[in-house]
Amino acid sequence: VGATEFCNGGSVVLNANAGTFTYQWRLNGSNIAGATSASTTATGAGNYTVLVTNANNCSAVSMPQAVTLYPLPVATISNIGSTTFCSGGNVILSTTAGTGYSYQWKLDGSNITGANASTYTATAAGNYRVQVTTDFGCSDISPVKAVTVNPLPTAAITPAGAVTFCNGQSVVLDANTGAGLTYQWRVNGTNITGATTANITANTTGSYVVAVTDANACSQNSTAQAV
């Protein structure tokens, strides 16, 4: 891309020969209103000429100067999946693909190393943008796409007594408590029907786990507790 070839939104200053002259700049053969000085700022594509007139009212028209504008790409972000998810999840962000396009994804204003495809799998919270550049070097940066990652709740089991005992006895297993938490107890990998409170009375041998779910529907399994 040269001085008279630039991206949409750019410009180039065109200069006529200086002297005791009057000037009229033209674009594609039509006068440009108000363009009557020795220079003009070209912002549109086309063929520019200048009519130069001396004090004797003799005039000459310059050779055309071609100005070429290259369009900007349109950078937008769409998402495949929700942009709000639990820790360990992700969302696929995508932008407009085009022949000769290159991409740079950004998180909170900083480039993401190696994120140079038309899609990006986001796993971290923050504000994502993508810069799309054409093969002519024209760039556009997308609006922000916010991603929210909710943390997983804590899930832990605390036995209220000995976990080794004689047949016919039992032990109470307590899960951690907190506002908005729900529970599902399992033994040997199978849900225990109705065991949805913060504690359970275990009276059979097995490996007990509690799944704790918070108000954001994020769930975490505890470490297994052998009984």
Side-chain angles (χ1 to χ4, degrees), residues 24-33 45-51 61-65:
Q24 177 59 62
W25 290 88
R26 297 170 177 169
L27 174 58
N28 298 328
S30 298
N31 288 349
I32 302 172
N47 291 313
Y48 287 79
T49 56
V50 62
L51 174 68
V61 178
S62 70
M63 293 292 292
Q65 173 63 64

Side-chain angles (χ1 to χ4, degrees), residues 3 7-8 19 28 31 39 58 61 64 71 76 99 104-105 117 123 125 128 136 149 178 190-191 196 207 215:
C7 302
N8 193 21
N28 298 328
N31 288 349
S39 63
C58 297
V61 178
T76 59
T99 302
Q104 178 59 65
W105 290 88
T123 59
Y128 287 83
F136 293 111
V149 180
T190 301
N191 287 351
T196 56
S207 179

Side-chain angles (χ1 to χ4, degrees), residues 98-206:
T99 302
Y101 285 9
S102 60
Y103 310 90
Q104 178 59 65
W105 290 88
K106 303 172 184 286
L107 174 58
D108 295 331
S110 298
N111 289 348
I112 303 171
T113 303
N116 306 119
S118 61
T119 62
Y120 179 73
T121 301
T123 59
N127 292 318
Y128 287 83
R129 302 180 80 179
V130 62
Q131 181 174 2
V132 181
T133 305
T134 69
D135 49 4
F136 293 111
C138 300
S139 292
D140 187 35
I141 297 180
S142 71
V144 164
K145 176 72 74 171
V147 171
T148 301
V149 180
N150 292 317
L152 299 181
T154 298
I157 297 175
T158 302
V163 292
T164 300
F165 46 83
C166 299
N167 192 28
Q169 296 178 322
S170 63
V171 62
V172 174
L173 304 179
D174 292 310
N176 53 290
T177 58
L181 298 181
T182 60
Y183 307 89
Q184 176 61 63
W185 291 86
R186 299 169 183 155
V187 62
N188 299 329
T190 301
N191 287 351
I192 303 171
T193 303
T196 56
T197 59
N199 55 59
I200 188 175
T201 299
N203 53 24
T204 59
T205 296

Side-chain angles (χ1 to χ4, degrees), residues 79 81-91 93 107-108 122-128 144-151 216 218:
N79 48 290
S82 175
T83 55
T84 299
F85 51 87
C86 302
S87 180
N90 62 68
V91 61
L93 305 178
L107 174 58
D108 295 331
T123 59
N127 292 318
Y128 287 83
V144 164
K145 176 72 74 171
V147 171
T148 301
V149 180
N150 292 317
N216 293 316
C218 296

